[in-house]
Amino acid sequence: MKIVLAFDSFKGCMAASDACKAAASGIHAVMPYAETLELPLSDGGEGLVKCVERMVPTHRVVLPVHGPLMEIVEASYAIAVDGTTAYMEMAEASGLTLVPESRRNPIEATTYGVGEMIVDAAKRGCRTIVMGIGGSATCDGGKGMLDALYRLCPHPHCRIIVACDVTNPLYGPMGAAYVFGPQKGASAEQVYILDQRLRKFARETELAGLATPEMAMQPGTGAAGGLGYALMTYLNAQLHSGIDIILDICGFDGLIRDADLVITGEGCSDAQTLMGKVPYGVQKRCHRVGVPIWLLSGRIDDAGKILVQHFSWLKSINEKDRRPLNVLLQREVAMKNMENTVSESLRLSHLAGFPLIRRARREDIPRLQEIFARARSFMKEAGNPDQWNADYPSRELIEKDIESGDCYVVTLDNSTDKKTKLDFRPESQRGYGKIEATFVLRKGPDPTYDIIYNGKWQNEKPYAAIHRIASSGTLKGIFHLAMLFAMHRYNNIRIDTHRNNMPMRKAIIKEGFKYCGIIHCWSGDERLAYHYTSSPSDHTGTERGLRVTNDSTRPGIPR
């Protein structure tokens, strides 16, 4: 089983990397053989550069710039090793944390230092700048940045991609001043002044022919006190969801394609989570490929029942810890609560009756032989005595399937005490219930599929093949479960079965496979060949002249 851990930071107590590490410990406590992939993430604001540095080779650049109040501060950003792309955060030069609380004044704060960082990157030969614009102390509409560029490098010749996690317009009731001004120290009177300034700046930009009135209302133009607007109108920057930029950089879609579960989380999850935060960005990618996703956060407020519609499991890591907030915010406490919550959630998933699929191990062979023996008996009783002989599959073949990593088992955990809901088995055995089914999922090419008679495959694209499906008879719908597992990983799936295996033929057709023709297996025996593809443009065949009967959900159906 592969579980991907894709957390944002839990601000004030736990870094994203800490959350991933703790969650991995919780998984291995109950599923010691599970494969975990830790992906600490950022939504593109603060933390973007560190997040990128964990994913791609870069080197750091440190330089003096003018801070929010025009004092000299030390800023840094990262450049990819090929020297063409810079990754920076505007907060390094104009961030709120650079200004003591007693001196915060967005009327005076400037983005001048951001312009200096852009100029520095351009002079070093960077042709693309990816900029996170969260955590600002400013509300100058980006005018300070433009002043720096005008004085130092009027034409930086850089393509700028902005990682933006807010959707606010430049001005108005939902604009930069009214929504974010108070957080930066602005009084009610100052908020009004700032909003008027932004409106004036927009009009000046429009008169200069650089923008239309509608552009000020575009989502994200109010980010970082209006910096998003200046970047977009004066520098032709592209505004993108911050988390989408990060997920693209790390190749997230490819990393979850063969995952069985993704776990994400943040400090506090509520309706705002669905407005560009890390968990929602991760959820959307998982939804596309059908991978289940859990949300485990420090606090969860889902009074409107919105989050439950997007995540298959929601839980606060502090749900059972009644200690004061100042204790819960301690790094060690938060990590331990994350570890315990993940372990408990995995055990509860078993209690809910969810079968788990994992790769088979050598010690599973005796149980697999029992299941295959039952499958042979079932086939014989169903009028199909010729598909598998008395010793098929042999122990040697099973061992090869396990060695190659292509043999999977379906387990159901009934070992937990129903009264206490505790698992009393040794820790090394927890998370592994009794094996109730097995199948082989192997990436092609499969030599037996090279030649097909009386038809053709739907396409010649890369594919995976399903073989040797068998069940103990305890679980129904094993083929459907195997198909869901396969479809999470591959767009093209091929399978074959014996002409007399009517239950399997019915199950294959029900899952969307198309009959393609006849192939011959290694023994020379004839098999009916089927192909599933997620591409609607591919050829769709039909099972001509082959009548299909019997119940597809009946257990024990082997290949």
Side-chain angles (χ1 to χ4, degrees):
M1 171 170 282
K2 177 180 176 180
I3 302 177
V4 176
L5 306 169
F7 286 90
D8 193 0
S9 62
F10 286 52
K11 290 183 179 178
C13 68
M14 187 164 54
S17 55
D18 291 335
C20 290
K21 182 180 179 181
S25 297
I27 291 168
H28 293 141
V30 295
M31 304 177 72
Y33 293 94
E35 175 190 355
T36 56
L37 177 60
E38 299 177 28
L39 292 175
L41 298 175
S42 162
D43 58 15
E46 296 169 282
L48 177 142
V49 174
K50 285 185 178 179
C51 187
V52 170
E53 286 176 325
R54 288 191 290 262
M55 299 173 182
V56 297
T58 60
H59 65 269
R60 276 271 181 164
V61 173
V62 181
L63 71 157
V65 297
H66 289 85
L69 300 181
M70 289 302 287
E71 74 285 13
I72 299 299
V73 299
E74 188 177 85
S76 68
Y77 64 94
I79 297 180
V81 290
D82 64 4
T84 62
T85 304
Y87 302 93
M88 60 179 63
E89 300 170 30
M90 71 84 60
E92 282 285 307
S94 302
L96 189 63
T97 57
L98 298 175
V99 185
E101 191 169 349
S102 60
R103 298 183 62 200
R104 289 177 183 174
N105 181 5
I107 293 286
E108 302 294 334
T110 178
T111 53
Y112 191 92
V114 178
E116 292 176 306
M117 292 176 68
I118 293 174
V119 170
D120 187 79
K123 289 183 176 180
R124 292 175 186 270
C126 294
R127 291 295 171 261
T128 300
I129 296 175
V130 179
M131 181 186 296
I133 57 172
S136 72
T138 59
C139 196
D140 68 347
K143 291 186 70 174
M145 174 197 70
L146 296 175
D147 288 343
L149 292 176
Y150 179 76
R151 294 177 185 178
L152 304 173
C153 182
H155 305 290
H157 299 296
C158 286
R159 171 174 172 252
I160 299 180
I161 300 172
V162 179
C164 177
D165 64 348
V166 301
T167 58
N168 302 77
L170 178 61
Y171 56 76
M174 295 300 295
Y178 279 97
V179 174
F180 303 110
Q183 302 172 15
K184 302 172 184 182
S187 64
E189 182 181 356
Q190 288 176 323
V191 164
Y192 175 79
I193 294 172
L194 290 169
D195 189 69
Q196 291 301 307
R197 282 187 183 179
L198 294 173
R199 290 173 186 268
K200 180 182 178 183
F201 177 50
R203 286 194 295 272
E204 292 171 351
T205 304
E206 294 158 18
L207 290 173
L210 297 173
T212 64
E214 290 76 22
M215 292 184 73
M217 295 295 103
Q218 287 192 19
T221 52
L227 178 63
Y229 179 77
L231 288 167
M232 185 174 70
T233 54
Y234 287 84
L235 299 180
N236 296 314
Q238 303 168 0
L239 272 62
H240 294 283
S241 161
I243 181 58
D244 281 338
I245 290 176
I246 293 295
L247 294 178
D248 287 340
I249 289 172
C250 74
F252 187 76
D253 292 355
L255 296 175
I256 65 169
R257 187 165 294 280
D258 63 344
D260 301 283
L261 174 67
V262 174
I263 305 178
T264 187
E266 59 188 341
C268 176
S269 293
D270 52 27
Q272 294 294 316
T273 295
L274 304 183
M275 298 179 69
K277 301 299 184 182
V278 165
Y280 187 50
V282 172
Q283 185 274 339
K284 288 191 296 182
R285 301 294 182 103
C286 292
H287 180 71
R288 290 179 195 169
V289 294
V291 177
I293 179 167
W294 290 2
L295 177 66
L296 305 181
S297 298
R299 184 172 71 88
I300 294 180
D301 179 5
D302 195 28
K305 303 298 181 185
I306 299 174
L307 296 175
V308 74
Q309 299 176 30
H310 294 84
F311 299 90
S312 53
W313 182 263
L314 288 81
K315 198 171 185 66
S316 164
I317 65 171
N318 299 312
E319 189 174 289
K320 294 187 176 181
D321 195 331
R322 301 304 178 191
R323 286 178 287 182
L325 181 61
N326 65 322
V327 175
L328 299 179
L329 289 176
Q330 295 175 16
R331 176 176 175 268
E332 294 75 14
V333 173
M335 290 184 69
K336 191 62 180 177
N337 283 349
M338 173 64 78
E339 179 181 343
N340 293 339
T341 301
V342 170
S343 295
E344 181 187 15
S345 296
L346 287 171
R347 292 188 183 115
L348 286 174
S349 72
H350 286 295
L351 284 177
F354 299 149
L356 290 182
I357 297 176
R358 61 169 173 82
R359 282 190 170 91
R361 309 191 302 271
R362 289 185 65 87
E363 53 265 40
D364 299 329
I365 291 178
R367 177 57 178 165
L368 295 182
Q369 289 176 318
E370 292 176 7
I371 290 174
F372 285 128
R374 186 207 176 271
R376 289 192 293 269
S377 297
F378 173 79
M379 279 193 287
K380 188 174 181 180
E381 294 168 5
N384 179 30
D386 302 322
Q387 183 168 353
W388 287 0
N389 58 35
D391 62 347
Y392 183 88
S394 66
R395 182 183 178 95
E396 182 183 8
L397 181 56
I398 298 173
E399 288 176 347
K400 285 182 178 179
D401 288 341
I402 292 174
E403 235 174 78
S404 66
D406 299 326
C407 182
Y408 294 87
V409 293
V410 182
T411 69
L412 191 62
D413 195 337
N414 295 315
S415 61
T416 310
D417 183 84
K418 302 304 179 184
K419 185 175 181 180
T420 64
K421 297 188 177 182
L422 295 175
D423 191 336
F424 294 108
R425 289 176 300 168
E427 186 170 304
S428 62
Q429 298 176 17
R430 294 176 191 166
Y432 286 93
K434 188 175 183 181
I435 297 172
E436 302 295 354
T438 182
F439 62 92
V440 169
L441 177 63
R442 178 170 294 137
K443 187 176 181 180
D446 186 322
T448 60
Y449 292 159
D450 287 347
I451 300 175
I452 185 168
Y453 301 92
N454 301 333
K456 64 177 182 179
W457 299 110
Q458 295 195 67
N459 60 52
E460 295 301 328
K461 297 175 183 177
Y463 65 90
I466 298 178
H467 296 304
R468 291 182 277 289
I469 301 177
S471 166
S472 68
T474 301
L475 291 175
K476 293 185 177 181
I478 290 301
F479 184 70
H480 176 66
L481 193 63
M483 265 302 293
L484 288 176
F485 185 80
M487 288 164 61
H488 290 164
R489 291 155 178 76
Y490 303 100
N491 295 323
N492 279 285
I493 305 167
R494 296 180 183 182
I495 193 171
D496 65 88
T497 194
H498 195 281
R499 181 180 295 271
N500 293 334
N501 195 340
M502 304 306 292
M504 177 55 77
R505 284 168 56 187
K506 176 72 176 290
I508 288 172
I509 294 298
K510 185 174 181 179
E511 291 299 329
F513 282 80
K514 302 299 180 183
Y515 172 72
C516 293
I518 303 293
I519 61 103
H520 291 89
C521 56
W522 60 269
S523 64
D525 293 342
E526 175 192 277
R527 292 290 185 269
L528 307 183
Y530 301 83
H531 191 171
Y532 168 88
T533 176
S534 61
S535 173
S537 62
D538 288 324
H539 167 74
T540 54
T542 56
E543 185 171 345
R544 297 185 180 92
L546 299 176
R547 188 171 173 223
V548 181
T549 58
N550 295 338
D551 182 7
S552 66
T553 61
R554 189 174 175 184
I557 304 174
R559 174 184 180 258

